[in-house]
Amino acid sequence: MKEKEIIDHTTMPITVKRMVLDIHKLGVQEGDCIIVHSSLSKLGWVCGGPQAVVQALLEAVGVEGTLIMPAQSGDWSDPAEWEHPPVPQDWIEIIYREMPAYDPYKTPTRGMGRIAEVFRTFPQTVRSQHPQVSFCANGKQASSIVSNHELTPQFGMASPLGKLYNLNAKVHLLGVEYDSCTSFHLAEARIERMPEKRMGAAIFEDGERVWKWFTDCRYDSDDFAAIGESFEEHYSVQKGSVGSAECRLFDMREAVDFAEQWLPKNRLF
Protein backbone atom coordinates (compact mmCIF):
# COMPACT_ATOMS: atom_id res chain seq x y z
CA MET A 1 0.00 0.00 0.00
CA LYS A 2 1.34 3.42 -0.96
CA GLU A 3 1.79 6.11 1.71
CA LYS A 4 -1.03 8.27 0.27
CA GLU A 5 -3.42 5.32 0.59
CA ILE A 6 -2.25 4.68 4.16
CA ILE A 7 -2.86 8.34 5.06
CA ASP A 8 -6.33 8.23 3.48
CA HIS A 9 -7.22 5.16 5.57
CA THR A 10 -5.94 6.64 8.86
CA THR A 11 -8.19 8.93 10.91
CA MET A 12 -5.44 10.23 13.25
CA PRO A 13 -1.64 9.76 13.31
CA ILE A 14 -0.54 6.60 15.16
CA THR A 15 1.84 7.81 17.88
CA VAL A 16 4.18 6.03 20.28
CA LYS A 17 1.89 6.89 23.20
CA ARG A 18 -1.17 5.47 21.46
CA MET A 19 0.66 2.30 20.44
CA VAL A 20 1.88 1.66 24.00
CA LEU A 21 -1.71 1.99 25.26
CA ASP A 22 -2.97 -0.36 22.53
CA ILE A 23 -0.21 -2.92 23.18
CA HIS A 24 -1.00 -2.96 26.90
CA LYS A 25 -4.73 -3.22 26.17
CA LEU A 26 -3.99 -6.27 24.01
CA GLY A 27 -2.42 -7.93 27.05
CA VAL A 28 1.31 -7.24 26.94
CA GLN A 29 2.63 -6.39 30.40
CA GLU A 30 5.82 -4.79 31.63
CA GLY A 31 8.39 -7.52 32.19
CA ASP A 32 7.03 -9.74 29.43
CA CYS A 33 9.26 -11.59 26.99
CA ILE A 34 7.59 -11.26 23.58
CA ILE A 35 8.51 -12.27 20.04
CA VAL A 36 6.94 -9.92 17.52
CA HIS A 37 6.07 -10.43 13.86
CA SER A 38 4.89 -7.23 12.23
CA SER A 39 3.66 -5.30 9.21
CA LEU A 40 4.20 -1.53 9.26
CA SER A 41 1.64 -0.78 6.55
CA LYS A 42 -1.17 -2.45 8.51
CA LEU A 43 -0.70 -0.05 11.45
CA GLY A 44 -1.89 3.02 9.56
CA TRP A 45 0.15 6.20 9.26
CA VAL A 46 2.69 5.98 12.07
CA CYS A 47 4.21 9.21 13.36
CA GLY A 48 7.88 8.23 13.30
CA GLY A 49 7.54 5.12 11.15
CA PRO A 50 9.28 1.88 12.17
CA GLN A 51 11.42 3.69 14.75
CA ALA A 52 8.28 4.72 16.63
CA VAL A 53 6.92 1.16 16.55
CA VAL A 54 10.13 -0.26 18.02
CA GLN A 55 10.14 2.45 20.71
CA ALA A 56 6.54 1.65 21.60
CA LEU A 57 7.19 -2.09 21.86
CA LEU A 58 10.25 -1.55 24.07
CA GLU A 59 8.35 0.86 26.27
CA ALA A 60 5.47 -1.60 26.57
CA VAL A 61 7.66 -4.42 27.93
CA GLY A 62 9.74 -2.02 30.06
CA VAL A 63 13.25 -2.39 31.43
CA GLU A 64 12.46 -5.79 32.96
CA GLY A 65 11.08 -7.17 29.70
CA THR A 66 12.65 -8.46 26.49
CA LEU A 67 11.65 -7.85 22.88
CA ILE A 68 12.61 -10.35 20.17
CA MET A 69 12.14 -10.33 16.40
CA PRO A 70 13.25 -12.70 13.63
CA ALA A 71 16.16 -11.29 11.61
CA GLN A 72 16.36 -13.84 8.81
CA SER A 73 18.76 -13.25 5.93
CA GLY A 74 17.62 -15.46 3.07
CA ASP A 75 20.34 -14.15 0.76
CA TRP A 76 22.83 -16.19 2.81
CA SER A 77 21.63 -19.53 1.46
CA ASP A 78 22.30 -21.96 -1.38
CA PRO A 79 22.01 -19.94 -4.63
CA ALA A 80 21.08 -23.11 -6.51
CA GLU A 81 17.68 -22.89 -4.77
CA TRP A 82 16.99 -19.19 -5.33
CA GLU A 83 13.73 -18.61 -7.20
CA HIS A 84 12.69 -15.00 -6.52
CA PRO A 85 14.64 -14.31 -8.64
CA PRO A 86 16.86 -17.20 -9.74
CA VAL A 87 20.43 -16.55 -10.86
CA PRO A 88 22.13 -17.96 -13.97
CA GLN A 89 23.62 -21.41 -13.50
CA ASP A 90 27.16 -20.19 -14.23
CA TRP A 91 26.95 -17.68 -11.36
CA ILE A 92 26.45 -20.31 -8.67
CA GLU A 93 30.07 -21.40 -8.18
CA ILE A 94 31.14 -17.75 -8.07
CA ILE A 95 28.61 -17.09 -5.30
CA TYR A 96 29.86 -20.12 -3.35
CA ARG A 97 33.39 -18.69 -3.52
CA GLU A 98 32.73 -14.97 -3.16
CA MET A 99 29.63 -14.39 -1.01
CA PRO A 100 30.79 -12.42 2.07
CA ALA A 101 30.53 -14.28 5.36
CA TYR A 102 27.46 -13.61 7.46
CA ASP A 103 28.13 -10.84 9.98
CA PRO A 104 25.47 -10.14 12.66
CA TYR A 105 26.45 -6.46 12.66
CA LYS A 106 26.43 -5.92 8.89
CA THR A 107 24.21 -8.48 7.19
CA PRO A 108 20.75 -7.06 6.46
CA THR A 109 17.49 -8.89 7.01
CA ARG A 110 15.44 -10.03 4.02
CA GLY A 111 11.65 -10.24 3.94
CA MET A 112 11.26 -9.36 7.62
CA GLY A 113 9.78 -5.91 7.07
CA ARG A 114 10.89 -2.42 7.97
CA ILE A 115 10.16 -2.73 11.69
CA ALA A 116 12.42 -5.77 12.13
CA GLU A 117 15.19 -4.16 10.07
CA VAL A 118 15.11 -0.98 12.18
CA PHE A 119 15.02 -3.07 15.37
CA ARG A 120 18.23 -4.78 14.21
CA THR A 121 20.03 -1.42 14.31
CA PHE A 122 18.61 -0.17 17.63
CA PRO A 123 20.96 0.58 20.54
CA GLN A 124 21.46 -2.45 22.82
CA THR A 125 19.91 -4.83 20.27
CA VAL A 126 21.92 -8.04 19.92
CA ARG A 127 21.71 -10.66 17.18
CA SER A 128 22.33 -14.38 17.02
CA GLN A 129 25.04 -15.95 14.87
CA HIS A 130 22.98 -18.10 12.51
CA PRO A 131 23.65 -16.99 8.92
CA GLN A 132 20.13 -17.66 7.66
CA VAL A 133 17.61 -17.54 10.53
CA SER A 134 19.07 -15.23 13.16
CA PHE A 135 17.03 -13.47 15.83
CA CYS A 136 17.46 -10.02 17.35
CA ALA A 137 16.69 -9.22 20.96
CA ASN A 138 16.70 -6.17 23.19
CA GLY A 139 16.10 -6.12 26.92
CA LYS A 140 16.91 -7.88 30.14
CA GLN A 141 17.39 -11.42 28.76
CA ALA A 142 18.50 -10.48 25.25
CA SER A 143 22.08 -11.76 25.38
CA SER A 144 21.21 -15.18 26.77
CA ILE A 145 18.43 -15.66 24.22
CA VAL A 146 20.59 -15.06 21.14
CA SER A 147 23.80 -16.71 22.38
CA ASN A 148 25.13 -19.97 20.91
CA HIS A 149 22.73 -20.22 17.96
CA GLU A 150 24.11 -23.31 16.22
CA LEU A 151 23.79 -24.08 12.52
CA THR A 152 21.57 -27.09 13.09
CA PRO A 153 18.92 -27.62 14.17
CA GLN A 154 18.42 -23.95 13.45
CA PHE A 155 15.00 -23.84 15.14
CA GLY A 156 15.64 -26.47 17.83
CA MET A 157 15.44 -26.29 21.61
CA ALA A 158 18.97 -24.85 21.86
CA SER A 159 18.05 -22.05 19.43
CA PRO A 160 16.55 -18.69 20.45
CA LEU A 161 13.10 -20.20 19.86
CA GLY A 162 13.81 -23.00 22.34
CA LYS A 163 15.02 -20.50 24.90
CA LEU A 164 11.88 -18.41 24.44
CA TYR A 165 9.80 -21.57 24.92
CA ASN A 166 11.52 -22.20 28.25
CA LEU A 167 11.02 -18.56 29.25
CA ASN A 168 7.25 -18.80 28.71
CA ALA A 169 7.41 -16.06 26.08
CA LYS A 170 4.39 -14.60 24.33
CA VAL A 171 3.89 -14.30 20.57
CA HIS A 172 2.60 -10.98 19.23
CA LEU A 173 1.28 -11.01 15.66
CA LEU A 174 1.15 -7.30 14.86
CA GLY A 175 -0.84 -6.90 11.66
CA VAL A 176 0.21 -10.31 10.30
CA GLU A 177 -1.33 -13.79 10.27
CA TYR A 178 -0.22 -17.18 11.57
CA ASP A 179 1.77 -17.89 8.41
CA SER A 180 4.35 -15.48 9.88
CA CYS A 181 4.53 -17.33 13.22
CA THR A 182 8.14 -18.56 13.30
CA SER A 183 7.50 -20.33 16.62
CA PHE A 184 5.74 -23.17 14.79
CA HIS A 185 9.14 -24.08 13.30
CA LEU A 186 10.19 -25.15 16.80
CA ALA A 187 7.41 -27.74 16.71
CA GLU A 188 8.74 -29.01 13.38
CA ALA A 189 12.26 -29.33 14.80
CA ARG A 190 10.93 -31.46 17.68
CA ILE A 191 9.34 -34.04 15.38
CA GLU A 192 11.68 -36.97 14.66
CA ARG A 193 10.02 -37.88 11.35
CA MET A 194 10.67 -34.50 9.72
CA PRO A 195 12.32 -34.79 6.29
CA GLU A 196 15.75 -33.21 5.96
CA LYS A 197 17.64 -31.20 3.37
CA ARG A 198 21.16 -29.93 2.74
CA MET A 199 21.70 -26.22 3.29
CA GLY A 200 24.68 -23.94 2.88
CA ALA A 201 25.88 -20.46 3.79
CA ALA A 202 28.98 -18.30 3.86
CA ILE A 203 30.21 -17.97 7.45
CA PHE A 204 33.31 -17.25 9.49
CA GLU A 205 34.94 -20.41 10.82
CA ASP A 206 38.16 -20.15 12.86
CA GLY A 207 38.48 -16.59 11.63
CA GLU A 208 38.27 -17.53 7.95
CA ARG A 209 35.47 -17.03 5.45
CA VAL A 210 34.19 -20.45 4.29
CA TRP A 211 31.16 -21.88 2.53
CA LYS A 212 29.64 -24.27 5.06
CA TRP A 213 27.25 -27.12 4.22
CA PHE A 214 24.94 -28.54 6.88
CA THR A 215 21.81 -30.70 7.14
CA ASP A 216 18.61 -29.64 8.85
CA CYS A 217 14.85 -30.18 8.76
CA ARG A 218 12.96 -29.29 5.62
CA TYR A 219 10.97 -26.55 7.31
CA ASP A 220 7.67 -25.57 5.71
CA SER A 221 5.28 -22.79 6.75
CA ASP A 222 2.58 -23.54 4.16
CA ASP A 223 0.20 -25.00 6.75
CA PHE A 224 0.91 -22.55 9.57
CA ALA A 225 -2.34 -20.67 8.87
CA ALA A 226 -4.28 -23.91 9.34
CA ILE A 227 -2.39 -24.64 12.57
CA GLY A 228 -3.27 -21.18 13.87
CA GLU A 229 -6.93 -21.53 12.98
CA SER A 230 -7.15 -24.85 14.80
CA PHE A 231 -5.12 -23.52 17.75
CA GLU A 232 -7.68 -20.76 18.29
CA GLU A 233 -10.42 -23.37 18.61
CA HIS A 234 -8.69 -24.90 21.64
CA TYR A 235 -6.73 -22.13 23.38
CA SER A 236 -7.14 -18.55 24.47
CA VAL A 237 -5.84 -15.98 21.99
CA GLN A 238 -6.12 -12.32 22.88
CA LYS A 239 -7.24 -10.17 19.96
CA GLY A 240 -7.26 -6.44 19.50
CA SER A 241 -5.83 -3.58 17.50
CA VAL A 242 -2.60 -1.62 17.65
CA GLY A 243 -3.27 1.46 15.60
CA SER A 244 -5.21 0.09 12.62
CA ALA A 245 -3.51 -3.32 12.71
CA GLU A 246 -5.43 -6.40 13.77
CA CYS A 247 -3.30 -8.22 16.35
CA ARG A 248 -3.08 -11.45 18.28
CA LEU A 249 -1.25 -12.28 21.51
CA PHE A 250 -0.85 -15.81 22.80
CA ASP A 251 1.32 -18.14 24.86
CA MET A 252 4.23 -19.48 22.80
CA ARG A 253 4.57 -22.75 24.73
CA GLU A 254 0.89 -23.60 24.25
CA ALA A 255 1.14 -22.83 20.53
CA VAL A 256 4.29 -24.91 19.99
CA ASP A 257 2.94 -27.88 21.96
CA PHE A 258 -0.29 -27.73 19.99
CA ALA A 259 1.55 -27.56 16.66
CA GLU A 260 3.74 -30.51 17.64
CA GLN A 261 0.59 -32.62 18.09
CA TRP A 262 -1.19 -31.19 15.04
CA LEU A 263 1.56 -31.70 12.47
CA PRO A 264 1.91 -35.53 12.54
CA LYS A 265 -1.87 -35.86 12.18
CA ASN A 266 -2.35 -33.34 9.39
CA ARG A 267 0.82 -33.00 7.33
CA LEU A 268 2.06 -35.64 4.91
CA PHE A 269 5.73 -36.18 5.69
Side-chain angles (χ1 to χ4, degrees):
M1 188 181 294
K2 295 181 179 180
E3 187 170 11
K4 178 64 166 61
E5 294 177 281
I6 295 173
I7 292 171
D8 290 343
H9 286 83
T10 306
T11 55
M12 293 292 289
I14 311 301
T15 64
V16 172
K17 183 177 180 180
R18 175 179 169 182
M19 286 186 285
V20 172
L21 291 173
D22 288 348
I23 293 166
H24 281 159
K25 186 177 180 180
L26 182 66
V28 173
Q29 302 174 357
E30 290 191 10
D32 276 349
C33 182
I34 62 170
I35 178 169
V36 175
H37 308 274
S38 59
S39 170
L40 181 64
S41 64
K42 296 296 180 60
L43 280 158
W45 192 84
V46 178
C47 180
Q51 174 187 331
V53 180
V54 173
Q55 287 181 206
L57 288 164
L58 288 171
E59 185 175 333
V61 299
V63 295
E64 294 297 309
T66 308
L67 177 64
I68 305 94
M69 295 187 195
Q72 297 180 15
S73 43
D75 288 339
W76 269 252
S77 60
D78 184 358
E81 297 186 342
W82 293 352
E83 295 180 351
H84 304 290
V87 295
Q89 185 70 28
D90 58 356
W91 290 15
I92 292 176
E93 287 299 328
I94 298 172
I95 295 170
Y96 288 152
R97 294 194 309 268
E98 304 296 340
M99 172 72 79
Y102 166 79
D103 187 319
Y105 301 101
K106 300 175 184 176
T107 302
T109 61
R110 179 183 173 96
M112 298 291 99
R114 292 175 63 194
I115 295 170
E117 177 61 13
V118 168
F119 180 57
R120 179 183 71 83
T121 68
F122 243 62
Q124 284 77 59
T125 292
V126 290
R127 188 180 186 185
S128 69
Q129 289 284 347
H130 201 284
Q132 296 172 351
V133 295
S134 64
F135 291 80
C136 284
N138 191 311
K140 187 174 183 179
Q141 302 186 78
S143 295
S144 61
I145 289 169
V146 303
S147 65
N148 302 317
H149 190 175
E150 298 181 355
L151 278 176
T152 182
Q154 55 192 10
F155 292 124
M157 287 302 296
S159 76
L161 285 182
K163 295 173 184 178
L164 293 175
Y165 178 94
N166 289 327
L167 289 169
N168 294 313
K170 297 175 181 177
V171 179
H172 183 187
L173 302 181
L174 200 170
V176 300
E177 302 295 330
Y178 283 102
D179 56 358
S180 297
C181 183
T182 307
S183 299
F184 289 151
H185 286 310
L186 175 59
E188 291 182 293
R190 288 164 33 141
I191 296 172
E192 293 184 0
R193 293 164 39 205
M194 276 290 293
E196 296 182 336
K197 64 177 291 187
R198 189 173 81 148
M199 303 178 185
I203 65 169
F204 285 115
E205 189 171 70
D206 299 325
E208 298 290 333
R209 180 266 179 213
V210 299
W211 183 269
K212 183 78 170 183
W213 293 106
F214 58 98
T215 300
D216 204 344
C217 297
R218 188 179 294 274
Y219 299 101
D220 185 358
S221 61
D222 286 352
D223 51 10
F224 283 8
I227 297 173
E229 182 180 353
S230 185
F231 174 67
E232 288 194 2
E233 296 174 358
H234 296 84
Y235 289 89
S236 173
V237 175
Q238 294 164 274
K239 298 180 181 180
S241 297
V242 176
S244 301
E246 296 181 1
C247 299
R248 291 177 172 88
L249 184 73
F250 51 92
D251 182 273
M252 178 186 175
R253 179 174 289 190
E254 288 182 348
V256 171
D257 289 348
F258 178 82
E260 189 175 358
Q261 297 301 313
W262 187 96
L263 282 164
K265 298 175 184 176
N266 295 278
R267 182 189 290 183
L268 296 176
F269 289 103

